Amino acid sequence: MEMHLADDIILRPIALADAAALARAYDRDRAHLAPWEPIRPDDFYTEQGQYSRLKQFDESRREGLIERWVFDRGDGEVYGSVTLSNIELGVFLNARLGYWVDSTLTGRGLATAAVLAVCDAARQRWNIHRVEAGTNVENAASQRVLLKCGFEEIGRSRAHLYINGRWADSKQFYRILHTDPLPVG
């Protein structure tokens, strides 16, 4: 499912063919992402490394556990991504949200538009009831995006993720997408 975010940006499902462009995007934005990401192995920034990761991703996608979209300007490059992971159906109907936007495109409202579009897709495609997201406590820009998109802060999770070479605290957020009753049976 492709989503138009701006005149020059679409959000579309990631494909194996994006491996080289994704490697270039991560390498190009390495300094921008460093404070919010784990330390990556060298192969993470290569086409083969991304291709291997995308093959694993495809297996999880086929199992219905994850979906990922990339920001696309129609030039063959990737400018960030949005991931809906840990998709859990049944009585929970929950998923986790993660995203990043290329540093050259920040400040344009693209993350906000993408989060809103992916929340709509989560509701429509999987009937997801609740979406959760976490940010590094210092990542005020990402926290503003979540709050603009109707997420509420749950609280602080101490030593939550191993980010940039240290255990980092996270702020946790959630958004209820709907409160429709589950069908009986």
Side-chain angles (χ1 to χ4, degrees):
M1 173 160 79
E2 200 171 277
M3 302 168 248
H4 290 269
L5 302 180
D7 289 341
D8 61 336
I9 304 287
I10 62 166
L11 196 63
R12 62 163 176 80
I14 198 163
L16 286 173
D18 291 316
L22 192 58
R24 287 190 298 272
Y26 277 121
D27 190 48
R28 181 178 64 242
D29 246 10
R30 198 184 290 213
H32 172 68
L33 295 172
W36 325 119
E37 296 270 322
I39 295 173
R40 305 290 192 178
D42 290 339
D43 83 324
F44 184 84
Y45 301 97
T46 68
E47 179 178 358
Q48 185 56 44
Q50 286 302 317
Y51 186 82
S52 295
R53 285 167 180 81
L54 288 173
K55 288 284 282 183
Q56 292 173 344
F57 163 79
D58 265 353
E59 291 174 25
S60 294
R61 177 194 269 168
R62 280 191 297 277
E63 294 171 11
L65 303 174
I66 193 168
E67 185 57 80
R68 187 174 182 192
W69 298 264
V70 291
F71 292 89
D72 184 328
R73 298 179 87 173
D75 61 0
E77 295 301 318
V78 167
Y79 294 93
S81 73
V82 182
T83 304
L84 202 59
S85 62
N86 299 328
I87 297 170
E88 196 169 336
L89 304 180
V91 297
F92 197 24
L93 296 174
N94 193 73
R96 294 279 305 171
L97 177 75
Y99 54 90
W100 68 276
V101 176
D102 189 284
S103 60
T104 62
L105 297 177
T106 59
R108 292 183 51 189
L110 295 172
T112 300
V115 168
L116 289 170
V118 167
C119 285
D120 286 345
R123 165 85 198 256
Q124 292 171 16
R125 182 171 172 188
W126 295 281
N127 195 33
I128 294 296
H129 159 73
R130 176 188 170 106
V131 176
E132 299 175 356
T135 71
N136 185 288
V137 293
E138 288 90 21
N139 193 343
S142 193
Q143 292 160 25
R144 280 192 304 276
V145 166
L146 293 171
L147 292 171
K148 280 190 230 175
C149 291
F151 282 73
E152 297 178 48
E153 186 176 336
I154 298 170
R156 188 181 198 128
S157 183
R158 302 265 181 225
H160 187 239
L161 294 172
Y162 199 71
I163 299 295
N164 199 18
R166 66 178 179 85
W167 286 103
D169 292 356
S170 294
K171 282 190 178 183
Q172 298 298 313
F173 296 82
Y174 76 97
R175 178 177 166 199
I176 302 297
L177 301 182
H178 71 86
T179 57
D180 300 343
L182 290 176
V184 177

